[in-house]
Amino acid sequence: MASTLPPLSLPFLPLLILSTSFASAAGNFNQDVDITWGDGRGKILNNGELLTLSLDKSSGSGFQSKNEFLFGRIDMQIKLVAGNSAGTVTAYYLSSQGEAHDEIDFEFLGNLSGDPYIVHTNVYTQGKGNREMQFFLWFDPTKDFHNYSILWNPSHIVFYVDGSPIREFKNLAATKGIPYPNNQAMRLYSSLWDAEDWATRGGLVKTDWSQAPFMAAFRNLNADGCVQGPLASSSCGSKAWMNQALDAQSLKRMNWVQKNYMVYNYCTDLKRFPQGLPPECSAN
Ligand SMILES: *[C@@H]1O[C@H](CO)[C@@H](O)[C@H](O)[C@H]1NC(C)=O
Ligand SMILES: *[C@@H]1O[C@H](CO)[C@@H](O)[C@H](O)[C@H]1NC(C)=O
């Protein structure tokens, strides 16, 4: 973990400084999402600029986007539960409905104070997941807001942290016959909930309820997707992210993250797949 971070393709500092003035241009939680559960534990504040979720022993809370998308570019800034967050999970994912659903997951697994969060990622296609990759972060995600993004276009799915790609799932439907999410609309979901039976060190460390309520905060949601339903836009194909690929510099950065911060990769877990690794592993 000692090597230095290669430069971002965009100047990082100016972006951060600008981000406050962007705030009104980015989405507004009042317009873009519904708080769907948690009996008052989820709150939209500051005229829609901030959303907080909380978790205590009786319940967590969550929200979902009003729109459904078929392809999209979603950015959201999150400040994760601080202090002893062991057992808590903050989830941020896209999902369609039904048994053969597609899903693109970010899950942030809490930890004891001072111990690192794990960023857990997964991709489900046609109801089938088992594609977990996990990462540590190169910063403390509880001190400040950081930008977590999902790019989903017809060629690939890319997970980004502060603009750095950490994982790519390619569309290998035509070449390898691996199902790719390209015909079921997905909604954005986010939640804060308790998973003390598995989240931290595989369930060894339980939630310390004397620290409750636990709280995570969200801002600058920018859901630029191909909206489905009555608001569907026919101009979606012209959005720049529909053709966004990973250039050489982005690939280099992704390799750097994977080399230094990857905790788990299903594609190297031969014990779990004794009959052979999933077919996408040789191509992704
Ligand atoms: C979040 O990151 C993306 C790049 O992945 C960038 O386009 C966007 O401007 C960032 N948003 C903020 C508010 O920093
Ligand atoms: C929590 O910290 C321990 C000790 O550093 C580490 O082994 C573990 O991977 C961390 N994260 C989770 C979610 O267990």
Side-chain angles (χ1 to χ4, degrees):
M1 296 207 189
S3 73
T4 48
L5 202 64
L8 279 166
S9 45
L10 290 169
F12 182 55
L13 212 58
L15 249 185
L16 270 187
I17 291 163
L18 277 174
S19 67
T20 26
S21 49
F22 277 11
S24 54
N28 179 300
F29 284 115
N30 283 319
Q31 281 157 28
D32 298 342
V33 310
D34 292 309
I35 292 183
T36 40
W37 61 284
D39 201 15
R41 288 174 183 79
K43 291 190 172 73
I44 296 176
L45 304 162
N46 302 354
N47 296 317
E49 279 184 14
L50 183 70
L51 190 156
T52 58
L53 293 180
S54 85
L55 161 73
D56 56 45
K57 192 143 198 192
S58 21
S59 180
S61 48
F63 63 93
Q64 68 183 44
S65 62
K66 293 187 197 279
N67 285 330
E68 284 188 297
F69 310 100
L70 185 60
F71 304 122
R73 165 77 209 224
I74 318 286
D75 300 312
M76 187 157 60
Q77 294 190 323
I78 310 177
K79 191 173 171 182
L80 295 170
V81 174
N84 181 353
S85 58
T88 73
V89 175
T90 305
Y92 159 33
Y93 61 101
L94 295 172
S95 182
S96 63
Q97 307 269 323
E99 221 164 274
H101 78 295
D102 299 322
E103 188 176 317
I104 304 169
D105 288 336
F106 261 123
E107 285 187 316
F108 303 91
L109 315 184
N111 216 331
L112 295 168
S113 302
D115 279 353
Y117 261 81
I118 282 181
V119 180
H120 173 101
T121 63
N122 203 354
V123 176
Y124 285 73
T125 60
Q126 302 284 307
K128 192 182 155 296
N130 297 326
R131 299 191 176 103
E132 299 86 356
M133 286 191 190
Q134 299 183 328
F135 305 84
F136 287 135
L137 292 165
W138 48 96
F139 51 83
D140 178 350
T142 71
K143 284 242 147 60
D144 247 309
F145 284 90
H146 289 269
N147 195 356
Y148 303 93
S149 315
I150 297 171
L151 167 68
W152 170 36
N153 71 23
S155 318
H156 60 175
I157 291 162
V158 185
F159 296 80
Y160 292 88
V161 174
D162 283 339
S164 292
I166 63 166
R167 172 177 187 178
E168 179 184 32
F169 181 83
K170 290 180 185 157
N171 183 349
L172 301 168
T175 51
K176 299 213 161 197
I178 299 160
Y180 184 80
N182 60 6
N183 59 13
Q184 304 190 77
M186 300 205 237
R187 207 181 280 283
L188 166 72
Y189 297 87
S190 194
S191 54
L192 174 57
W193 49 289
D194 184 61
E196 64 177 0
D197 45 327
W198 61 266
T200 306
R201 295 204 200 178
L204 284 177
V205 183
K206 304 296 180 195
T207 305
D208 177 2
W209 292 111
S210 74
Q211 304 299 307
F214 301 99
M215 202 179 86
F218 304 80
R219 69 181 191 195
N220 288 341
L221 167 63
N222 184 19
D224 186 12
C226 307
V227 176
Q228 300 301 292
L231 294 173
S233 147
S234 55
S235 64
C236 197
S238 65
K239 303 253 191 196
W241 52 257
M242 277 296 270
N243 299 305
Q244 191 178 329
L246 291 176
D247 61 15
Q249 196 180 10
S250 303
L251 281 172
K252 199 172 155 201
R253 204 172 161 83
M254 184 167 75
N255 289 336
W256 179 86
V257 172
Q258 294 189 349
K259 183 161 163 262
N260 293 286
Y261 293 96
M262 188 177 262
V263 177
Y264 176 79
N265 180 359
Y266 75 110
C267 275
T268 57
D269 193 345
L270 292 163
K271 261 198 215 136
R272 183 176 169 193
F273 301 104
Q275 320 295 346
L277 294 170
E280 69 272 17
C281 290
S282 54
N284 263 311

